[in-house]
Amino acid sequence: MKMSYPTILGSPIAGVVEALGPGVTKVSVGDRVACGTKIFSQKQAKYGGHQRFCVVDEAEVVEIGDVPFIQAIPLVSYTPPSALFSPHRLALTRPTIPPSPDSKNGKKILIYGGSSAMGSLSISYARLAGYTTITTCSARNFPLVQSLGADFIFDHSDPDTPRRIRELGKIDYWFDCIALPASASAILKILAPDGEEGAVTPAHILALLPYERPGMPKLPKGITAQMHLFSTGAEENREWRDWALSKGGFLERGIKEGWIQGVPPKVIGGLEKVGEGLDMVFEGVSGCKVVVEPWA
Ligand SMILES: NC(=O)c1ccc[n+]([C@@H]2O[C@H](COP(=O)([O-])OP(=O)(O)OC[C@H]3O[C@@H](n4cnc5c(N)ncnc54)[C@H](OP(=O)(O)O)[C@@H]3O)[C@@H](O)[C@H]2O)c1
């Protein structure tokens, strides 16, 4: 993604509403809220989250009640609920309000990368909606992923993992939250164990990065992949937005009532640590979300 330099990055954020733009009715000054920022779509520094005051879009703001800001930040991503529940993406049946995670609907979803920020939330949402979740992570992250309620957890470094996942039978949905050559290759070994020449299980893979890029494996005939890119403001997503982000909507209730769970925050601060935090993410984090405390 091209950004002009200098800029201020950072998303999502949490804090107190300090001032309202014209016509804002969803929240009031003093409300405790969390939301994604517009920095990557608007590309202006005032929208970046790595600062003490930041301009956000009313439509994306979620009231969080008494939930600590640090705890709310890893939970407020729109990516997993849009990937899973938008009618234009995987179109899973949405969880009831309140959810009944123990009533299974008999469908299975592979969420590759269960210890990632996006994968962990995806497990939580899919479970709330009654899906059987199959996921991968490093062995050290099994307890974390287990605590999110994943049904089947496999070590992504074990070469036998694709075969063992294949033994679980038909998988209805495929979500690659890692979308690196290693994850794509592992998913293809489940779907086409003998390569293009052998039997191929037709499937559509939703992925968080494009599959069509250098280094990624070629998809055999019958297997398609799509990168998940989602605009909460698009007209076609209005109905999803109402469900997820309206006042009293699923994210607000899910965060306040503890239904939505993800990786724990790893807090650093204050703002002078932003560069260090970006380096940590660049080098690769495991089972946590780096959160900058701007007032420390
Ligand atoms: N399209 C979108 O809208 C969108 C939105 C958000 C993020 N993204 C992209 O989605 C990806 C995930 O983001 P995130 O923030 O969720 O990531 P993250 O939390 O930084 O992911 C870290 C996890 O990735 C796992 N991992 C790293 N290398 C791996 C490999 N070779 N094979 C299997 N697992 C591996 C690690 O698992 P273990 O430590 O357990 O080994 C680690 O827990 C990023 O590329 C990000 O840019 C896209």
Side-chain angles (χ1 to χ4, degrees), residues 77 79 112-113 115-119 136-141 156 177-178 180 182-183 207-209 227-230 263 281 284-289:
S77 172
T79 301
Y112 202 99
S115 60
S116 65
M118 298 301 113
T136 60
C137 61
S138 291
R140 66 173 176 273
N141 284 322
H156 65 72
C177 291
I178 303 299
L180 291 174
S183 63
L208 288 183
L209 293 175
M227 180 190 174
H228 178 57
L229 267 184
F230 192 78
V263 293
V281 172
V285 294
S286 175
C288 68
K289 176 99 173 168

Side-chain angles (χ1 to χ4, degrees), residues 125-144:
Y125 276 104
R127 174 178 168 264
L128 291 173
Y131 290 82
T132 296
T133 53
I134 304 163
T135 195
T136 60
C137 61
S138 291
R140 66 173 176 273
N141 284 322
F142 279 18
L144 164 72

Side-chain angles (χ1 to χ4, degrees), residues 79-87 89-93 109 111 121-127 175 206 228 240:
T79 301
S82 58
L84 266 51
F85 302 123
S86 159
R89 292 298 184 274
L90 293 177
L92 268 57
T93 303
I109 179 169
I111 296 168
L121 289 169
S122 301
I123 292 169
S124 172
Y125 276 104
R127 174 178 168 264
F175 188 23
L206 189 65
H228 178 57
W240 176 90

Side-chain angles (χ1 to χ4, degrees), residues 46-264:
K46 66 181 178 182
Y47 296 110
H50 292 149
Q51 52 192 330
R52 290 178 173 170
F53 299 91
C54 160
V55 176
V56 297
D57 180 350
E58 174 191 23
E60 297 189 332
V61 170
V62 174
E63 212 237 303
I64 58 167
D66 296 332
V67 176
F69 299 137
I70 297 300
Q71 199 178 308
I73 285 173
L75 306 180
V76 77
S77 172
Y78 315 132
T79 301
S82 58
L84 266 51
F85 302 123
S86 159
H88 311 294
R89 292 298 184 274
L90 293 177
L92 268 57
T93 303
R94 292 174 189 160
T96 52
I97 297 182
S100 36
D102 296 328
S103 78
K104 293 281 188 197
N105 64 17
K107 303 247 177 186
K108 295 199 218 72
I109 179 169
L110 175 82
I111 296 168
Y112 202 99
S115 60
S116 65
M118 298 301 113
S120 60
L121 289 169
S122 301
I123 292 169
S124 172
Y125 276 104
R127 174 178 168 264
L128 291 173
Y131 290 82
T132 296
T133 53
I134 304 163
T135 195
T136 60
C137 61
S138 291
R140 66 173 176 273
N141 284 322
F142 279 18
L144 164 72
V145 174
Q146 230 151 13
S147 75
L148 302 169
D151 296 291
F152 297 95
I153 308 169
F154 297 91
D155 184 341
H156 65 72
S157 68
D158 179 350
D160 201 29
T161 282
R163 186 194 63 76
R164 293 175 63 206
I165 294 180
R166 202 165 55 246
E167 280 189 347
L168 296 175
K170 180 175 184 270
I171 295 176
D172 302 277
Y173 303 93
W174 302 81
F175 188 23
D176 186 352
C177 291
I178 303 299
L180 291 174
S183 63
S185 300
I187 291 173
L188 292 185
K189 273 191 198 134
I190 304 168
L191 290 166
D194 300 317
E196 281 188 80
E197 307 312 318
V200 174
T201 305
H204 180 66
I205 305 163
L206 189 65
L208 288 183
L209 293 175
Y211 261 39
E212 280 181 17
R213 63 182 209 273
M216 293 293 275
K218 186 169 169 272
L219 296 181
K221 209 164 168 219
I223 300 176
T224 53
Q226 173 190 20
M227 180 190 174
H228 178 57
L229 267 184
F230 192 78
S231 162
T232 58
E235 184 52 34
E236 64 166 13
N237 298 327
R238 177 190 286 272
E239 182 271 335
W240 176 90
R241 191 166 62 241
D242 287 347
W243 168 77
L245 299 176
S246 61
K247 203 161 172 54
F250 198 87
L251 263 77
E252 180 184 322
R253 289 200 58 187
I255 292 173
K256 278 185 184 168
E257 298 181 39
W259 307 333
I260 302 169
Q261 294 176 347
V263 293

